[in-house]
Amino acid sequence: MDNTASLRRIKTAVEQFQKGEAYIAKKDYNAAESAILKGLKVVPQDYAGLVIMAKCKMAQGQHDQALLFSEKARRVYPQEAQANYISGFSSLQLNRLNAAVANFSAYDKKLPGNPNTVFFRGYAYEKMGRKQQAATDYTAYLNQVNAGDQARHAYDKLVKWGVYKTGQPGPVTASGRTVSGSDWV
């Protein structure tokens, strides 16, 4: 019994975090926050609980609060990547562009291959006026993803900056047709 006491203690917290995630899925953010806070009261330094609360705050557009919880999660478990992504996205929304780039880069180093990470880092670079870094990330993004609003944004910027020529094949439409820059002008 002594060996499992700590597991029994956090069982309640885990159940509250699961309820919180279910409420987030239903967009019942008040109930989600209540459940997550109950869990965090039991284990205030729980990485998963802090990340779930950050996601809840992010879903509500409360990016300052999302950043607070994701940064706390990063301090609790610095090897994990998800808190970096949330911190990056929240920093981007708060126009803290250097922090956004740093967090997306840290996420990509820990868990490479997520094209959205590359896109959002490129977007942060774009907002900073760092076109060369933005173009590098947008090109990498388009090498993995060639459809959707983000692909269209990346492609449009690359054409505007002269990286791609107008008419050069780019992202595809929902129907599967390759779109060229001239189609979007």
Side-chain angles (χ1 to χ4, degrees), residues 73-95:
R74 280 184 350 114
R75 288 190 298 276
V76 167
Y77 196 0
Q79 303 89 329
E80 268 299 311
Q82 193 170 20
N84 286 107
Y85 190 86
I86 296 169
S87 289
F89 191 79
S90 295
S91 294
L92 184 60
Q93 296 302 310
L94 295 168
N95 211 32

Side-chain angles (χ1 to χ4, degrees), residues 12-99:
T12 303
V14 170
E15 289 169 346
Q16 292 300 319
F17 298 149
Q18 289 171 336
K19 285 181 185 178
E21 285 185 308
Y23 286 127
I24 291 170
K26 295 177 186 174
K27 299 183 191 283
D28 187 349
Y29 302 118
N30 290 331
E33 282 187 40
S34 178
I36 298 164
L37 287 173
K38 285 178 187 174
L40 288 173
K41 193 174 261 190
V42 175
V43 284
Q45 299 296 311
D46 186 82
Y47 178 82
L50 293 166
V51 166
I52 294 166
M53 181 60 93
K55 287 179 179 180
C56 183
K57 294 295 188 178
M58 195 167 61
Q60 296 175 78
Q62 297 175 6
H63 297 290
D64 55 338
Q65 291 294 305
L67 184 59
L68 181 82
F69 281 100
S70 63
E71 287 298 311
K72 190 171 183 180
R74 280 184 350 114
R75 288 190 298 276
V76 167
Y77 196 0
Q79 303 89 329
E80 268 299 311
Q82 193 170 20
N84 286 107
Y85 190 86
I86 296 169
S87 289
F89 191 79
S90 295
S91 294
L92 184 60
Q93 296 302 310
L94 295 168
N95 211 32
R96 297 178 185 169
L97 303 175
N98 285 321

